[in-house]
C-alpha cells in the first residue's frame, strides 16, 4: 500500500504542535534531525472510527520546525527547505494563524514555490471571531489557488478535515507561485534559462532561480554552477538591483509582502478599535515596574512547587520508600531466598537498583517541573521572560530564557539541562547546557556542609553563599570566554522575536509534552546511567585480581591513587580525597559517603562529629576550599552527563562540555589553593604559585581578548 | 531621518529604509518590517532594552542596537 507523507509547515505559535498532536495522538516518534539539536517529530494519522479506513493509504505526518521564512540563515529554516525540496513530501499542510494573516501568508508565498500540492489549515478561527475580525476562507482559497480549511486546533475543531483535505489534494497539482513585478520576473526568467540543463523539474527551476537571485549561499553550493554561469547570473542580478535601487534579497521580500498584504486585505476585515486580552495582560506582565516582581513571583512558585515542596516529597518517597525499602527489600529477600551469590546481590541491589533508582527518583520531580515549563511556554509567558531578561544574558552570549535552566539547576542539574530546550537558538542552547551545572545543585550541598563544618566551625555562614556566588561568577566568566571561541563562531543569532498572544494551552499538549520528555529521559539517560552505575559499582567493589575487596583496595581506589598526583597542585593530593572526587561522578552525594568509608567513620554523614574531625585533619583551610570548589565545578554526575548527551545530541559536544567544565574547575581550584596558600597560610612562593600566576594570566587573556568571531564580516552567510 | 531606536513609546512611523545586511536584515524583513510598513513602539523592557513594537498587527521585540538599522519617518 502506498504511503502518503504530509509535511506540516507553519510559523512558530501558529498552533502547529497542537494540530500535530491532535492528528497523531500518541502515534508519534520524536527524534533529532541528523547532526543538529533540532527536534524531529513524525507520526501516523489516527484513522480510528473512520468508516472504510482499511482502504485508506497509510498517512505519515512530519512536523517540521516552526519558521517564518525559508531563508538560509537558521538551522530550522534550512532543515525545512531541504526536506521540502530534496525529500519531496506528497503534500504540504500549511498552518496559517488567521489572527496574524500577513506574516503567516508570507511563509505561504514561499511554500507555494516548492511545487508540492498544498492545503491551508486556517487556524485560530476562534480567536479571530472573538476579536471581531472577519476572515473569508473562500476568497483566500481563490487568491492562493489551494483549498483552505478552517480549524481551531486548541478545541480540536477541523483538524481531521484539514488532514483529509491534504490526503485528497495529493492527486491535484501544486498551487501556481505568486508573480512578482515585471523587472524581477524577467530577471528570474534569464536565471532560469542559465539553469535549464541543471534543473530538470520546471517548478523547482523557479524556486532555484529565486534563491540564486537572493544570492543564497546554500543553493549556490548545492547546484555547483560553473564560474561563468555564476558571473552571468550575478550580472542579471546587478542590472535588476540598479533598476529597482535595492538589494536583491530586499526586492524579493518587499514584493512578497506587497502581494501578501493585498491578498490579506481582500480576505480579511479587521476590527480596528480593539484592545485584545493579550494587550491587557501585557500592560501588567511586562509593565516597567511590575515585570520583574511578577517574574520573580512566577519563578518562585515554579521552583517552590517543583523543587522545594511537592517535588522533594515525591523524589524522597521514590528514593527512600519505593527504591530504598520496597524494591531493595523485595529484591534482596528474593535474591536471598533463591540463594544468589553475595556479589550478585551486591551488584543488583547496590549497583544497579541504587544507581538507576537514584536517577529514576528524579523523574516525578522533572515531570512536575516540565508541566510548569510547558505551561509557561505554551501560554506565551516564556517569550516575555526572554523579553524581560534579555539585557542581562545577551552580554554573555546567552538567551534571556537561559535564566530558567540555571534557576532549576540550583535544585538539580538534570532537569535544568533539559529545560534548555525552550531556547530557540542552537548556540545559546549549547552554551546554556555547558554552564548551567556551575550553579550548585542540591546534591552538592552535603559537600559544602561537610567542608564548612569541618574547616570553618563557628564561622561557616559565608561558605555556602560563596559557592552560589562562585557558580554565578563562573557562568558569567564562561559566557565571556566561550562566546569568543571558534566553538560559538558565526553571527550572533538576531533577537527579533515575536511576542505571541497569550492563550490557554491545550491540556493534551501539556501531557504529551511531559510524557515525551519523561520517557526520553528514562530511556536515553537511563541506558547511560545503567551502564555507568554498574561500572562504578564494579570498580569500587573489585580489585585488579577481579575478587571482591573492600573499597580502599578496589580498582577505583587504585585509580584514585594513580590520579592523586594530579590533584597535588590543588592542595588535595590525598588519595582519599581523589577517590571521593571520582565516586562523585556517580552522584555528588557519594563524595561525603566515600570520604566517610575511607576515613573509617561508619555511617558518617556531613554533620557527624567524628567525620568532621577526620576531614579537618586531612585538609588545611585553603586546600579544603579548593577541594570543595573542584567538586562543585567539575564534570557533573552521570545523570547530568546523560542529560547533556541527550540535549546536545552528540558525543563530541558532550565531551566538549564535560572537558571544559573539568578544565575550568581545575584552573579555579589551582588559583584558590596556590594564592590562598601564600596569602592566608603564609607559605613561600613556589613553582606552583608561578604556575597559578600563568594560569590566571591565560584566564584573563581569554576574557579580555578581542572577539575573533567579530572579525568575520557578515556577508558570509553562515547558518550555525 | 531617524531610526526606530529614537522613537518615543506610543508613537507610530513608516519604515523608509533598512540598513545593515545579512542574517539580521533578512530576519527583520522576514518578520514583516519592510519598506512602507507602519510600525508603533509599544514599550521598553524593564531593564531598558529591548523594545516592543507592533507591526502588521502583532507584537515583536527587537534590541535597540538592531532597531538602529530601521530608518523611519
Amino acid at each position: 500500500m502506498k504511503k502518503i507523507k504530509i509535511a506540516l509547515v507553519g510559523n512558530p505559535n501558529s498552533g502547529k504542535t497542537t494540530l500535530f498532536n491532535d492528528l497523531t495522538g500518541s502515534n508519534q516518534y520524536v527524534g533529532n534531525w541528523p547532526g543538529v539539536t533540532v527536534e524531529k517529530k513524525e507520526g501516523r494519522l489516527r484513522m480510528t472510527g473512520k468508516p472504510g479506513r482499511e482502504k485508506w493509504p497509510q498517512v505519515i505526518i512530519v512536523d517540521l520546525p516552526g519558521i517564518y521564512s525559508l531563508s538560509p540563515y537558521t538551522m530550522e529554516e534550512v532543515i525545512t527547505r531541504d526536506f521540502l525540496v530534496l525529500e519531496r513530501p506528497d503534500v504540504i499542510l500549511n498552518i496559517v494563524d488567521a489572527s496574524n494573516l500577513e506574516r503567516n501568508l508570507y511563509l505561504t508565498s514561499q511554500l507555494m514555490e516548492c511545487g508540492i500540492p498544498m492545503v491551508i489549515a486556517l487556524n485560530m478561527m476562534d480567536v479571530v471571531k472573538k476579536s471581531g475580525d472577519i476572515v473569508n476562507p473562500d476568497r483566500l482559497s481563490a487568491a492562493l489557488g489551494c483549498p483552505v480549511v478552517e480549524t481551531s486546533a486548541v478545541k480540536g475543531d477541523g483538524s481531521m478535515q484539514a488532514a483529509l483535505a491534504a490526503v485528497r489534494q495529493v492527486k491535484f497539482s501544486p498551487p501556481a507561485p505568486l508573480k512578482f513585478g515585471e523587472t524581477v520576473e524577467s530577471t528570474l526568467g534569464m536565471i532560469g534559462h542559465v539553469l535549464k540543463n541543471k534543473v530538470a523539474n520546471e517548478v523547482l527551476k523557479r524556486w532555484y532561480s529565486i534563491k540564486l537571485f537572493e544570492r543564497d549561499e546554500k543553493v549556490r553550493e548545492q547546484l555547483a554552477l560553473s564560474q561563468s554561469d555564476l558571473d552571468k547570473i550575478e550580472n542579471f542580478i546587478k542590472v535588476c538591483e540598479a533598476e529597482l535601487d535595492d538589494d536583491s534579497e530586499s526586492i524579493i521580500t518587499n514584493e512578497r509582502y506587497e502581494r501578501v498584504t493585498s491578498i490579506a486585505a481582500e480576505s480579511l476585515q479587521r476590527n480596528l478599535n480593539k484592545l485584545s486580552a493579550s494587550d491587557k495582560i501585557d500592560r501588567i506582565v511586562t509593565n516597567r515596574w511590575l515585570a520583574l516582581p511578577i517574574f520573580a513571583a512566577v519563578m518562585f512558585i515554579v521552583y517552590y512547587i517543583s523543587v522545594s515542596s511537592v517535588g522533594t516529597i515525591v523524589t524522597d518517597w521514590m528514593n527512600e520508600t519505593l527504591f530504598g525499602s520496597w524494591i531493595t527489600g523485595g529484591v534482596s529477600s528474593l535474591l536471598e531466598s533463591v540463594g544468589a551469590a553475595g556479589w550478585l546481590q551486591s551488584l543488583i541491589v547496590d549497583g544497579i537498583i541504587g544507581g538507576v533508582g537514584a536517577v529514576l527518583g528524579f523523574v516525578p520531580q522533572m515531570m512536575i517541573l516540565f508541566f510548569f515549563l510547558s505551561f509557561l511556554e505554551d501560554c506565551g509567558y516564556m517569550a516575555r521572560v526572554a523579553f524581560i531578561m534579555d539585557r542581562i544574558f545577551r552580554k554573555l552570549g546567552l538567551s534571556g530564557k537561559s535564566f530558567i535552566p540555571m534557576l532549576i539547576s540550583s535544585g538539580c542539574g538534570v532537569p535544568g539541562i533539559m529545560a534548555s530546550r525552550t531556547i530557540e537558538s542552537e548556540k545559546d542552547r549549547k552554551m546554556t547546557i555547558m554552564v548551567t551545572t556551575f550553579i550548585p545543585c542540591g546534591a552538592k550541598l552535603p559537600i559544602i556542609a561537610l567542608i564548612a563544618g569541618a574547616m570553618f566551625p563557628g564561622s561557616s555562614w559565608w561558605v555556602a553563599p560563596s559557592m552560589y556566588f562562585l557558580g554565578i561568577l563562573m557562568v558569567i566568566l564562561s559566557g565571556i570566554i566561550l562566546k569568543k571561541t571558534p566553538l560559538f563562531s558565526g553571527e550572533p543569532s538576531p533577537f527579533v522575536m515575536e511576542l505571541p498572544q497569550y492563550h490557554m494551552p491545550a491540556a493534551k499538549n501539556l501531557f504529551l509534552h511531559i510524557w515525551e520528555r519523561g520517557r526520553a529521559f528514562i530511556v536515553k539517560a537511563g541506558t547511560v546511567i545503567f551502564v555507568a552505575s554498574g561500572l562504578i559499582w564494579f570498580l569500587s567493589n573489585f580489585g585488579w585480581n577481579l575478587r571482591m575487596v573492600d573499597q580502599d583496595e578496589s580498582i577505583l581506589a587504585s585509580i584514585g591513587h594513580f590520579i592523586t598526583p594530579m590533584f597535588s597542585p590543588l592542595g588535595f593530593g590525598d588519595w582519599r580525597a581523589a577517590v571521593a572526587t571520582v565516586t562523585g561522578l556517580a552522584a555528588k552525594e557519594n563524595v561525603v559517603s566515600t570520604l566517610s568509608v575511607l576515613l573509617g567513620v561508619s555511617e558518617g554523614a556531613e554533620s557527624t562529629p567524628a567525620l568532621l574531625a577526620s576531614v579537618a585533619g586531612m585538609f588545611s583551610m585553603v586546600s579544603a576550599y579548593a577541594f570543595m570548589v573542584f567538586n562543585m565545578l567539575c564534570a557533573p554526575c552521570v545523570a547530568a552527563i546523560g542529560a547533556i548527551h541527550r540535549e546536545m545530541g552528540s558525543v563530541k559536544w558532550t565531551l566538549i562540555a564535560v572537558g571544559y567544565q573539568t578544565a575550568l574547575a581545575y584552573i579555579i581550584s589551582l588559583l584558590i589553593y596556590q594564592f590562598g596558600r601564600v596569602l592566608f597560610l603564609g607559605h613561600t612562593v613556589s613553582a606552583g604559585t608561578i604556575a597559578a600566576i600563568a594560569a590566571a594570566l591565560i584566564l584573563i587573556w581569554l576574557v579580555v581578548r578581542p572577539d575573533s568571531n567579530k572579525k568575520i564580516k557578515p556577508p558570509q552567510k553562515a547558518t550555525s | 531621518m531617524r531610526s526606530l531606536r529614537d522613537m518615543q513609546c506610543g508613537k507610530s512611523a513608516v519604515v523608509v529604509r533598512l540598513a545593515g545586511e545579512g542574517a539580521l536584515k533578512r530576519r527583520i524583513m522576514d518578520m514583516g518590517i519592510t519598506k512602507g510598513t507602519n510600525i508603533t513602539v509599544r514599550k521598553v523592557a524593564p531593564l531598558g532594552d529591548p523594545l516592543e513594537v507592533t507591526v502588521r498587527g502583532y507584537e515583536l521585540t527587537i534590541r535597540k542596537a538592531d532597531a538602529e538599522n530601521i530608518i523611519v519617518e
Side-chain angles (χ1 to χ4, degrees):
Chain A
M1 195 163 36
K2 194 188 174 300
K3 272 189 194 172
I4 287 181
K5 206 171 235 185
I6 302 180
L8 206 55
V9 194
N11 280 188
N13 311 306
S14 60
K16 201 166 58 66
T17 306
T18 315
L19 184 68
F20 178 72
N21 288 340
D22 217 23
L23 293 176
T24 59
S26 51
N27 304 322
Q28 300 185 1
Y29 168 76
V30 186
N32 273 15
W33 292 90
V36 289
T37 61
V38 179
E39 210 164 63
K40 179 180 189 178
K41 282 188 183 173
E42 252 182 48
R44 231 178 37 243
L45 180 64
R46 287 193 298 184
M47 292 287 196
T48 43
K50 293 273 173 299
R53 65 177 185 274
E54 303 79 23
K55 285 182 236 144
W56 279 84
Q58 200 184 29
V59 181
I60 304 289
I61 303 178
V62 182
D63 185 22
L64 290 160
I67 48 166
Y68 295 106
S69 169
L70 295 181
S71 89
Y73 297 111
T74 73
M75 201 76 75
E76 286 79 5
E77 291 171 334
V78 173
I79 286 170
T80 304
R81 47 188 246 182
D82 282 353
F83 182 80
L84 295 177
V85 173
L86 303 176
E87 296 195 30
R88 310 299 293 162
D90 298 292
V91 57
I92 294 174
L93 183 54
N94 175 209
I95 298 104
V96 168
D97 174 359
S99 67
N100 202 336
L101 208 50
E102 285 175 25
R103 205 201 55 223
N104 277 259
L105 287 179
Y106 172 73
L107 177 66
T108 307
S109 78
Q110 301 183 51
L111 297 174
M112 288 159 77
E113 283 152 10
C114 295
I116 298 169
M118 190 158 94
V119 170
I120 286 179
L122 195 58
N123 198 23
M124 310 244 183
M125 285 307 280
D126 48 330
V127 179
V128 171
K129 277 172 193 150
K130 214 187 254 172
S131 69
D133 291 353
I134 300 166
V135 179
N136 187 332
D138 297 333
R139 282 202 191 153
L140 196 59
S141 174
L144 298 171
C146 64
V148 173
V149 182
E150 291 181 64
T151 60
S152 288
V154 179
K155 295 178 178 164
D157 293 346
S159 308
M160 197 46 87
Q161 285 88 323
L164 296 180
V167 171
R168 278 193 295 272
Q169 195 64 18
V170 170
K171 297 191 201 76
F172 296 93
S173 51
L178 294 181
K179 288 271 178 244
F180 299 112
E182 243 171 70
T183 321
V184 177
E185 283 296 336
S186 76
T187 311
L188 290 178
M190 289 190 282
I191 296 175
H193 193 70
V194 176
L195 289 182
K196 72 174 185 288
N197 297 323
K198 270 279 177 193
V199 185
N201 185 330
E202 265 313 305
V203 204
L204 272 184
K205 199 197 280 174
R206 183 178 172 85
W207 190 83
Y208 280 115
S209 305
I210 295 172
K211 291 295 152 195
L212 286 173
F213 181 71
E214 291 177 333
R215 298 196 178 89
D216 187 308
E217 288 292 336
K218 298 262 156 184
V219 162
R220 280 195 202 184
E221 279 166 31
Q222 218 174 319
L223 289 176
L225 293 170
S226 68
Q227 191 56 47
S228 70
D229 281 352
L230 283 175
D231 291 344
K232 251 190 254 173
I233 293 172
E234 184 60 30
N235 267 336
F236 298 149
I237 302 173
K238 286 224 168 96
V239 171
C240 182
E241 284 180 330
E243 194 171 331
L244 297 174
D245 187 30
D246 211 342
D247 65 283
S248 62
E249 228 176 356
S250 309
I251 293 172
I252 291 280
T253 314
N254 284 335
E255 297 232 1
R256 275 191 208 288
Y257 261 113
E258 269 170 38
R259 301 289 175 288
V260 156
T261 309
S262 71
I263 293 175
E266 277 168 40
S267 36
L268 168 77
Q269 251 181 291
R270 234 185 222 148
N271 176 8
L272 286 173
N273 44 9
K274 62 167 180 193
L275 191 62
S276 70
S278 237
D279 293 333
K280 285 179 204 154
I281 296 172
D282 260 345
R283 275 192 174 177
I284 300 165
V285 169
T286 58
N287 175 284
R288 193 140 207 184
W289 308 112
L290 294 175
L292 289 171
I294 290 174
F295 174 63
V298 170
M299 287 300 114
F300 175 79
I301 293 169
V302 170
Y303 187 87
Y304 183 76
I305 295 181
S306 58
V307 179
S308 308
S309 60
V310 181
T312 310
I313 295 167
V314 184
T315 301
D316 285 352
W317 182 83
M318 289 279 285
N319 282 340
E320 281 155 30
T321 312
L322 183 67
F323 285 103
S325 68
W326 294 0
I327 294 185
T328 308
V331 172
S332 296
S333 51
L334 183 79
L335 288 172
E336 261 164 49
S337 71
V338 298
W343 67 268
L344 186 65
Q345 286 189 31
S346 170
L347 168 66
I348 294 175
V349 174
D350 301 334
I352 295 174
I353 297 180
V356 175
V359 173
L360 289 183
F362 290 129
V363 169
Q365 188 179 24
M366 270 177 41
M367 289 192 163
I368 297 171
L369 182 71
F370 281 118
F371 170 78
F372 284 109
L373 292 186
S374 47
F375 184 88
L376 293 179
E377 177 74 20
D378 283 6
C379 78
Y381 186 68
M382 210 65 109
R384 273 76 184 179
V385 171
F387 175 69
I388 296 168
M389 300 302 286
D390 176 68
R391 174 143 215 189
I392 298 175
F393 281 90
R394 65 138 179 268
K395 291 212 170 73
L396 312 175
L398 294 167
S399 147
K401 291 185 185 177
S402 305
F403 182 84
I404 291 161
M406 284 173 205
L407 180 80
I408 307 295
S409 287
S410 64
C412 174
V414 173
I417 290 161
M418 296 182 82
S420 66
R421 192 50 83 91
T422 57
I423 300 168
E424 292 89 4
S425 142
E426 168 138 20
K427 251 194 282 178
D428 296 358
R429 195 161 56 226
K430 280 182 170 160
M431 179 101 78
T432 305
I433 294 170
M434 282 178 80
V435 302
T436 190
T437 51
F438 288 146
I439 308 288
C441 70
K444 290 174 183 167
L445 296 183
I447 308 176
I448 299 176
L450 176 73
I451 298 297
M455 308 309 299
F456 307 99
S459 62
S460 62
W461 60 269
W462 58 275
V463 179
S466 77
M467 282 300 108
Y468 285 97
F469 183 72
L470 182 80
I472 294 165
L473 192 72
M474 286 305 115
V475 170
I476 296 171
L477 195 72
S478 300
I480 298 171
I481 291 176
L482 288 173
K483 78 171 178 182
K484 293 180 182 176
T485 63
L487 288 174
F488 292 92
S489 65
E491 291 176 60
S493 43
F495 183 78
V496 183
M497 190 187 67
E498 178 186 5
L499 293 174
Q501 298 211 350
Y502 289 101
H503 66 94
M504 200 59 196
K508 192 175 182 178
N509 263 3
L510 292 184
F511 289 109
L512 269 172
H513 186 80
I514 296 165
W515 160 241
E516 181 249 302
R517 303 292 287 152
R519 192 182 56 174
F521 175 70
I522 296 167
V523 173
K524 290 260 182 164
T527 44
V528 176
I529 292 152
F530 182 81
V531 173
S533 36
L535 188 70
I536 288 176
W537 172 85
F538 174 79
L539 293 178
S540 58
N541 281 282
F542 281 75
W544 291 105
N545 55 6
L546 300 185
R547 300 234 171 109
M548 275 188 97
V549 291
D550 285 337
Q551 201 169 20
D552 55 352
E553 288 165 22
S554 65
I555 298 178
L556 195 67
S558 69
I559 294 173
H561 276 290
F562 179 72
I563 61 170
T564 300
M566 287 177 59
F567 291 125
S568 300
L570 313 188
F572 51 101
D574 181 302
W575 70 274
R576 290 163 298 194
V579 171
T581 304
V582 173
T583 55
L585 285 177
K588 292 289 168 182
E589 297 96 327
N590 287 0
V591 173
V592 172
S593 58
T594 304
L595 272 180
S596 101
V597 169
L598 299 182
L599 289 167
V601 182
S602 65
E603 302 290 312
E606 64 271 19
S607 54
T608 311
L611 181 59
L612 293 181
S614 308
V615 169
M618 249 174 89
F619 292 111
S620 69
M621 266 189 311
V622 175
S623 67
Y625 198 83
F627 170 74
M628 176 169 62
V629 166
F630 186 82
N631 275 290
M632 291 298 121
L633 302 179
C634 73
C637 64
V638 279
I641 296 175
I644 292 177
H645 179 250
R646 153 95 192 132
E647 291 308 306
M648 290 288 199
S650 96
V651 173
K652 181 187 142 204
W653 272 95
T654 310
L655 293 177
I656 289 174
V658 173
Y660 172 77
Q661 290 160 351
T662 309
L664 186 71
Y666 193 89
I667 291 173
I668 299 298
S669 301
L670 179 76
L671 297 184
I672 288 173
Y673 176 65
Q674 294 297 345
F675 290 143
R677 208 171 58 93
V678 174
L679 296 176
F680 297 114
L681 303 182
H683 293 191
T684 50
V685 172
S686 66
T689 325
I690 294 166
I693 292 172
L697 290 176
I698 292 173
L699 210 57
I700 292 170
W701 178 76
L702 284 172
V703 171
V704 299
R705 73 179 172 141
D707 191 342
S708 62
N709 298 325
K710 272 197 178 151
K711 277 187 242 156
I712 309 163
K713 277 282 165 206
Q716 277 135 345
K717 295 175 179 176
T719 49
S720 58
Chain B
M1 289 295 244
R2 61 209 175 100
S3 75
L4 181 65
R5 186 190 179 134
D6 312 319
M7 278 171 63
Q8 276 183 335
C9 280
K11 292 279 189 298
S12 297
V14 175
V15 178
V16 288
R17 198 168 61 82
L18 294 173
E21 56 187 351
L24 176 68
K25 184 178 183 189
R26 174 69 181 260
R27 172 83 170 176
I28 289 173
M29 293 190 298
D30 281 344
M31 297 307 280
I33 304 178
T34 53
K35 256 191 263 181
T37 316
N38 211 331
I39 192 163
T40 310
V41 177
R42 296 293 295 272
K43 67 172 70 131
V44 181
L47 298 171
D49 198 14
L51 302 172
E52 179 186 337
V53 300
T54 302
V55 59
R56 295 184 188 272
Y58 79 98
E59 310 301 312
L60 189 70
T61 149
I62 183 165
R63 287 178 184 155
K64 281 183 171 171
D66 300 337
E68 260 174 19
N69 291 319
I70 301 169
I71 314 297
V72 295
E73 80 184 357

